[in-house]
Amino acid sequence: MAQFRTIAFQEVLKRQPVKVSAPSNEVTEYFGSRVFDLVKMQKYLSKEAYKSVRQAIRESTHIDRKMADQVAAGMKDWAIDNGATHYTHWFHPLTDGTAEKHDGFIDFGDYGVVQNFSGELLVQQEPDASSFPSGGIRNTFEARGYTAWDVSSPAFLIGTTLCIPTVFVSYTGEALDYKAPLLRTLSILDKAAVDVCHYFDKNVNKVFATLGWEQEYFLIDDAFFNARPDLILTGRTLVGHQSSKDQQLDDHYFSSIPERVKAFMEDFEIEAYKLGIPVKTRHNEVAPNQYECAPIFEEANLANDHNQIIMDLMKRVARHHNFRILFHEKPFAGINGSGKHNNWSLATDTGVNLLSPGKNPMGNLQFLTFLINVIKSVHDNQDILRASILTAGNSHRLGANEAPPAILSIFLGTTLSKILVDLEQNVPNNKMTPEEKTELKLGIGKIPEILLDNTDRNRTSPFAFTGNRFEFRAVGSSANCAASMIVLNGALAYQLKAFKKEVDSLIEKHNLKKDEAIFKVLRKYISDSKKILFEGDNYSAGWKKEAEKRGLSNITSVPESLAKYLTPQAKKVLIDNGIFDERELEGRVEVEYEKFTKKIQIEARVLGDLVINHIVPTAVQYQNKLIENVKGLKDLFTEKEFKEQASHRLGIIKDISKHVSIIKSKVTEMVNARKVANKIEDEVEKAFAYNKTVRPYLDEIRYHVDKLELIIDDELWPLPKYREILFTR
Ligand code: ADP
Ligand code: MG
């Protein structure tokens, strides 16, 4: 077995950067060349069909069947002109990743084979959906699922396949994916935000949520990956002693990008540009072999599609470069894990970023209105926000070392924090004009214009204001952004509706002027929710205590956190608000419980195999070598000399026995715990049981394996070590 490790090591030493063949023209020319965007639609569609698609995108209207036929024909022509032979509906089921089922364009015509693609096929498909998770929504007798075209995200070409972004719903209309509810929240938020915007500007007709994700990842050599069954099957290392040097010297962050990695980045970025994905930033992250890529932000639904496409793309391109990409939140213990920061804001169709401090007081009042409503909605919905991001993988980050805590808090920066304190405390003088009130009393007019680039940063905050947007930093690297976007958008929409109701009632029933009414409500919101604001070090032990005093929740257990999806507050935001119906929400939460259980189950199985079939035999082999040696010493020396000579080796022999017996008995206990948990039928109870009775063994067993790694002859150790995986280049 140690052979694999040696072979892997030799392979890696031979690697050279793979040559990237860049297009000969400029990026401005090939950007979006693989996307059926408006420019191509204009070329391939009739005026009428083009108009109806544009309208459908802008106003979320429906496209009738006749138009759909025309659009399908144009789309097919474009795809075939670009080498396509197949098409697929492309969707986001509740798994890790996207799904596709390819069909050829070929069909029998009157005179032989033709290439066909009708409006019907474009608009709707019925994939055999019975094998996708649904949390009991789909019984076998209604196993059908439908995918339906999402006009707002353009079709694109991967290889020879035309991919059509779609939602995925059950026969009875429940959403079985991430996209359908995301689209619902975007439209609910649009309406709620437009209503609030009308206090300030009647010209606003549409509000978009914007999303700019920062994707962190590890890149390791293919050969090492293939010599580690834990990486292959679980995406993370279940054993492995820390390398003597890892990230202590902070010498990886922003350092020069290694040649092989740079070639990989250039390669996938070129492909991303062709797919219209505006990737912009690339750099080394904190941990060795950890990197990041970030695009220019876009409308949230499109941005999320782009994130899903690029994750897939990165996986494929990595293989060409003899790399494997790891999107797991914590592939290596003891060093930083990977997140996916979701930069999020709201933009109007009049071109205003609602979370950007304006230049005049009225503009600022609009900004403060949205800012404070976000704060209130995060405060009121900390538990579902956490539930939307706390998965089996991300639980190794949140609340653990080198990562945001499982406590939700908001960082605002000194300037804004002070403005909120003033706003809460100052009662506007009734003789003043609204402008004077805001400028003099509240200091709002004095927000310096440089605020935008001058905000302080707090890299430990799970939810930080960064000048013109919030950055939800606690999201896991493997996540579908929609999971957290659904909750974030939904919670804010709910909050904005409540805000409008309160303000309107103050105006109508209590005769308050509009600005006064708004200030009054905002002031109350600040008092109600200021305990979620925290400017200090979120990683510190002190914050945990402080947060507890403040009454903020701190949940690190995945099943416990998931339970919060079904509290009365969650139901107000997720059901009453029109995002899910009861069955959909329950089904979805059940899927999450199942996913958690299965991940722990797989990890437990892999670890069992790894230690019993790889580690223990190696330990015994080395122990035998030592025993031989001791026997030899005994033959050579007198009793007294022998004791002196052999004592060190005897100690190691005993240590190995100790660790091996503990490992063996712990594995047996773990297997038994699994058996007991597997008998539980209820998915919720089962997840709780797995978390409480199986999961702890993963760390307990690992501890002893990692100790053995330090004792056993390096020649014999079967698995590539951390120092090799993270430092051989
Ligand atoms: P940092 O690492 O300093 O947080 P990056 O440049 O890595 O910053 O990433 C910032 C991300 O925020 C980019 O994806 C950027 O497009 C995005 N972003 C900027 N403005 C907005 C906005 N108004 N809405 C959403 N995302 C935004
Ligand atoms: Mg960044």
Side-chain angles (χ1 to χ4, degrees):
M1 189 53 199
Q3 249 186 340
F4 277 147
R5 178 167 156 238
T6 319
I7 293 169
F9 197 69
Q10 285 164 348
E11 285 276 304
V12 178
L13 289 181
K14 281 187 288 193
R15 300 273 197 238
Q16 290 296 324
V18 173
K19 239 181 109 56
V20 178
S21 52
S24 55
N25 48 355
E26 282 184 31
V27 60
T28 45
E29 283 168 42
Y30 66 83
F31 187 85
S33 59
R34 311 279 290 165
V35 182
F36 192 55
D37 53 19
L38 289 172
V39 178
K40 273 141 228 151
M41 283 187 202
Q42 230 166 355
K43 192 170 156 207
Y44 281 88
L45 300 184
S46 68
K47 268 217 171 82
E48 204 187 2
Y50 175 74
K51 245 180 77 186
S52 84
V53 175
R54 272 204 78 149
Q55 194 184 357
I57 297 170
R58 273 210 206 127
E59 294 157 33
S60 314
T61 47
H62 283 288
I63 290 181
D64 66 38
R65 274 299 152 95
K66 196 175 126 235
M67 262 335 127
D69 273 333
Q70 289 194 26
V71 177
M75 202 186 268
K76 183 200 72 182
D77 289 346
W78 167 76
I80 290 174
D81 283 353
N82 285 279
T85 54
H86 287 67
Y87 67 92
T88 180
H89 278 199
W90 176 84
F91 55 103
H92 308 212
L94 298 171
T95 58
D96 297 342
T98 53
E100 49 197 82
K101 173 192 160 227
H102 302 192
D103 278 307
F105 285 123
I106 66 153
D107 209 345
F108 283 122
D110 293 341
Y111 307 101
V113 169
V114 293
Q115 303 209 72
N116 232 343
F117 186 52
S118 66
E120 204 179 323
L121 294 173
L122 165 65
V123 171
Q124 190 170 315
Q125 232 184 10
E126 194 189 318
D128 177 10
S130 50
S131 300
F132 290 106
S134 76
I137 285 178
R138 238 186 10 252
N139 297 323
T140 33
F141 63 86
E142 51 185 39
R144 273 178 292 174
Y146 291 103
T147 50
W149 183 27
D150 168 19
V151 189
S152 62
S153 183
F156 55 93
L157 273 174
I158 299 275
T160 54
T161 304
L162 169 68
C163 301
I164 300 150
T166 55
V167 297
F168 180 42
V169 294
S170 77
Y171 176 61
T172 39
E174 284 95 356
L176 297 174
D177 69 347
Y178 286 109
K179 191 190 255 286
L182 175 63
L183 290 173
R184 280 183 209 153
T185 61
L186 290 171
S187 110
I188 297 167
L189 179 59
D190 170 20
K191 165 114 193 23
V194 166
D195 285 349
V196 171
C197 280
H198 284 175
Y199 285 136
F200 311 99
D201 181 358
K202 293 277 182 216
N203 293 319
V204 174
N205 286 312
K206 201 165 172 66
V207 171
F208 309 88
T210 53
L211 166 64
W213 41 263
E214 298 166 50
Q215 179 73 56
E216 293 179 344
Y217 59 94
F218 279 84
L219 206 57
I220 65 166
D221 196 279
D222 208 16
F224 287 140
F225 177 88
N226 282 317
R228 295 275 322 212
D230 48 358
L231 278 176
I232 295 174
L233 297 175
T234 72
R236 74 179 184 106
T237 53
L238 298 175
V239 298
H241 196 278
Q242 243 174 298
S243 167
S244 311
K245 172 187 184 292
D246 44 49
Q247 64 186 43
Q248 306 96 320
L249 300 176
D250 289 326
D251 51 354
H252 194 256
Y253 191 56
F254 282 15
S255 66
S256 71
I257 301 170
E259 285 306 310
R260 277 184 68 201
V261 176
K262 196 145 116 252
F264 156 75
M265 289 176 173
E266 283 166 5
D267 210 355
F268 87 73
E269 285 171 0
I270 289 167
E271 293 311 310
Y273 289 149
K274 290 183 191 164
L275 289 161
I277 305 173
V279 279
K280 189 167 172 73
T281 308
R282 51 160 107 120
H283 62 79
N284 286 14
E285 259 302 331
V286 172
N289 277 355
Q290 191 189 27
Y291 306 93
E292 178 183 303
C293 126
I296 301 171
F297 71 92
E298 300 173 286
E299 182 279 321
N301 176 45
L302 183 62
N304 188 40
D305 278 357
H306 281 168
N307 181 241
Q308 288 296 310
I309 298 171
I310 211 170
M311 285 170 81
D312 195 46
L313 183 64
M314 287 164 93
K315 276 187 209 157
R316 278 184 285 123
V317 174
R319 301 291 298 274
H320 290 303
H321 292 257
N322 301 303
F323 282 128
R324 289 294 179 134
I325 193 159
L326 307 179
F327 286 123
H328 194 285
E329 282 77 10
K330 194 78 173 176
F332 303 98
I335 53 174
N336 276 24
S338 300
K340 172 149 52 198
H341 306 167
N342 279 204
N343 293 269
W344 168 82
S345 188
L346 302 171
T348 67
D349 59 345
T350 52
V352 175
N353 175 351
L354 293 170
L355 289 175
S356 181
K359 287 184 185 167
N360 57 63
M362 288 314 281
N364 274 334
L365 183 51
Q366 175 171 299
F367 159 69
L368 284 173
T369 296
F370 280 92
L371 179 84
I372 293 165
N373 273 289
V374 171
I375 294 171
K376 174 95 163 66
S377 69
V378 171
H379 170 271
D380 291 356
N381 298 289
Q382 342 165 6
D383 285 333
I384 38 172
L385 274 170
R386 181 192 304 102
S388 75
I389 56 164
L390 187 53
T391 56
N394 211 16
S395 70
H396 295 282
R397 287 176 71 229
L398 300 190
N401 301 320
E402 318 98 24
I407 306 160
L408 254 288
S409 73
I410 300 178
F411 169 83
L412 286 181
T414 353
T415 319
L416 272 182
S417 299
K418 181 156 184 327
I419 287 171
L420 290 208
V421 171
D422 289 351
L423 182 52
E424 188 197 0
Q425 287 167 358
N426 289 339
V427 183
N429 181 329
N430 277 333
K431 282 185 205 121
M432 286 174 153
T433 65
E435 283 79 7
E436 280 169 336
K437 276 179 218 159
T438 46
E439 279 181 26
L440 295 173
K441 276 283 184 188
L442 311 167
I444 293 163
K446 295 186 200 110
I447 297 176
E449 263 175 53
I450 45 167
L451 182 68
L452 265 178
D453 346 272
N454 199 26
T455 46
D456 9 23
R457 287 296 173 110
N458 183 333
R459 302 234 166 238
T460 66
S461 175
F463 201 89
F465 186 74
T466 51
N468 59 0
R469 62 189 186 270
F470 277 98
E471 185 173 348
F472 194 5
R473 302 170 53 89
V475 182
S477 49
S478 72
N480 186 308
C481 301
S484 53
M485 284 289 129
I486 290 165
V487 174
L488 208 47
N489 294 333
L492 181 59
Y494 181 81
Q495 178 51 49
L496 290 172
K497 285 191 228 172
F499 171 75
K500 173 136 172 57
K501 231 173 150 179
E502 290 188 67
V503 172
D504 284 352
S505 130
L506 284 180
I507 296 173
E508 283 156 26
K509 295 199 188 116
H510 302 271
N511 249 341
L512 252 61
K513 291 236 178 65
K514 185 183 75 187
D515 285 5
E516 264 175 279
I518 291 174
F519 276 129
K520 201 174 158 88
V521 178
L522 291 183
R523 206 172 283 124
K524 181 169 72 111
Y525 284 176
I526 298 174
S527 313
D528 289 350
S529 51
K530 65 183 172 196
K531 68 168 190 277
I532 194 105
L533 302 177
F534 181 61
E535 301 287 299
D537 180 359
N538 284 258
Y539 294 9
S540 70
W543 170 231
K544 272 192 198 150
K545 278 197 207 132
E546 164 75 16
E548 198 182 338
K549 253 201 258 159
R550 292 190 192 186
L552 296 175
S553 65
N554 179 7
I555 302 172
T556 53
S557 138
V558 177
E560 217 178 294
S561 161
L562 285 174
K564 300 290 182 189
Y565 261 132
L566 300 171
T567 59
Q569 171 66 19
K571 288 184 178 179
K572 274 200 256 173
V573 168
L574 298 173
I575 297 177
D576 304 349
N577 201 16
I579 302 169
F580 297 112
D581 66 25
E582 188 105 22
R583 202 155 94 107
E584 261 178 322
L585 183 62
E586 277 168 11
R588 191 162 288 254
V589 176
E590 193 173 314
V591 169
E592 291 304 324
Y593 276 114
E594 257 180 83
K595 248 197 258 182
F596 173 78
T597 301
K598 284 177 184 163
K599 293 216 165 157
I600 303 294
Q601 189 178 52
I602 293 168
E603 287 187 351
R605 284 181 180 160
V606 173
L607 184 63
D609 165 59
L610 212 53
V611 296
I612 299 301
N613 301 317
H614 303 235
I615 306 296
V616 169
T618 307
V620 172
Q621 194 186 343
Y622 181 54
Q623 198 183 35
N624 282 340
K625 252 173 126 177
L626 293 175
I627 292 171
E628 281 304 307
N629 174 276
V630 170
K631 279 185 185 157
L633 290 177
K634 192 156 197 164
D635 291 346
L636 279 180
F637 294 104
T638 64
E639 184 70 22
K640 185 165 168 281
E641 279 172 328
F642 168 73
K643 269 200 181 139
E644 247 174 57
Q645 300 280 337
S647 77
H648 161 258
R649 258 134 295 177
L650 286 168
I652 301 179
I653 291 170
K654 278 190 204 153
D655 277 349
I656 292 177
S657 288
K658 183 186 83 189
H659 291 302
V660 166
S661 347
I662 297 178
I663 287 173
K664 282 211 157 185
S665 64
K666 294 258 175 218
V667 169
T668 311
E669 288 170 29
M670 177 172 73
V671 172
N672 288 335
R674 231 161 56 213
K675 279 185 187 152
V676 174
N678 288 344
K679 288 210 185 85
I680 303 172
E681 292 221 347
D682 182 79
E683 287 299 339
V684 179
E685 274 176 49
K686 195 193 271 184
F688 272 94
Y690 259 91
N691 191 50
K692 192 161 170 238
T693 64
V694 180
R695 193 175 189 266
Y697 284 112
L698 294 171
D699 285 340
E700 287 173 30
I701 295 167
R702 176 188 190 131
Y703 173 84
H704 294 280
V705 174
D706 291 355
K707 286 281 176 222
L708 283 175
E709 186 185 321
L710 291 183
I711 302 174
I712 286 166
D713 185 357
D714 184 67
E715 288 269 313
L716 300 175
W717 194 254
L719 304 169
K721 296 185 173 180
Y722 271 26
R723 80 159 182 268
E724 293 159 351
I725 303 176
L726 295 171
F727 286 96
T728 319
R729 300 217 168 93

